[in-house]
Amino acid sequence: DVQLQASGGGLVQAGESLRLACKASGFNFGDYAVGWFRQPPGKEREGISCVTNGGETIFHSDSVKGRFAISTDNAKNTVYLQMSSLRPEDTATHYCAAEPRQQEHPRAHCKGVAWFDHWGQGTLVTVSS
């Protein structure tokens, strides 16, 4: 049974950092595409950071490139999202996701929710100005 458990959300001020973690169970992490999505209040869920090939191939959306970094610890079956220089517009519920059918590049997976079969519960990140 594939399960994903996200944690690390909270309330921070603009400019501060936060690290999210997603602990996976029920599958071999290195064999899956893994990603982080976020959903601001009243808006659609968007892919922001995705990895394939056991974390070797990485994609970040333009909205977070240079500020966020996704990484994996395959031994711990955990994916992290290090978020720096946070802005009020980063306020959103953040979700981790996993997919066994890996595309050639993680950019494809971050295109939308349809590219992932398994989802964790969300963790809320609130950035105050």
Side-chain angles (χ1 to χ4, degrees):
D1 186 25
V2 173
Q3 292 190 355
L4 299 165
Q5 182 71 38
S7 61
L11 172 63
V12 296
Q13 293 187 334
E16 293 184 341
S17 299
L18 205 59
R19 189 177 79 158
L20 306 182
C22 178
K23 173 71 174 177
S25 60
F27 65 98
N28 187 345
F29 216 52
D31 295 334
Y32 278 56
V34 182
W36 285 98
F37 281 63
R38 68 182 181 186
Q39 187 166 16
K43 296 185 178 180
E44 292 186 354
R45 197 173 299 187
E46 63 165 340
I48 55 174
S49 299
C50 296
V51 297
T52 54
N53 298 318
E56 292 186 0
T57 310
I58 295 173
F59 170 80
H60 292 292
S61 68
D62 288 342
S63 60
V64 304
K65 192 178 297 181
R67 300 187 300 123
F68 291 11
I70 188 172
S71 62
T72 61
D73 185 332
N74 291 340
K76 294 182 178 180
N77 246 22
T78 301
V79 60
Y80 301 96
L81 185 67
Q82 178 66 48
M83 304 183 293
S84 304
S85 302
L86 282 161
R87 305 166 181 169
E89 54 264 38
D90 294 320
T91 294
T93 300
H94 287 65
Y95 300 88
C96 59
E99 169 59 44
R101 295 161 294 182
Q102 297 193 61
Q103 300 301 307
E104 184 173 351
H105 195 280
R107 177 187 304 110
H109 289 281
C110 264
K111 284 183 178 179
V113 298
W115 292 94
F116 285 96
D117 272 352
H118 306 286
W119 292 86
Q121 92 294 356
T123 184
L124 178 61
V125 173
T126 304
V127 184
S128 64
S129 58

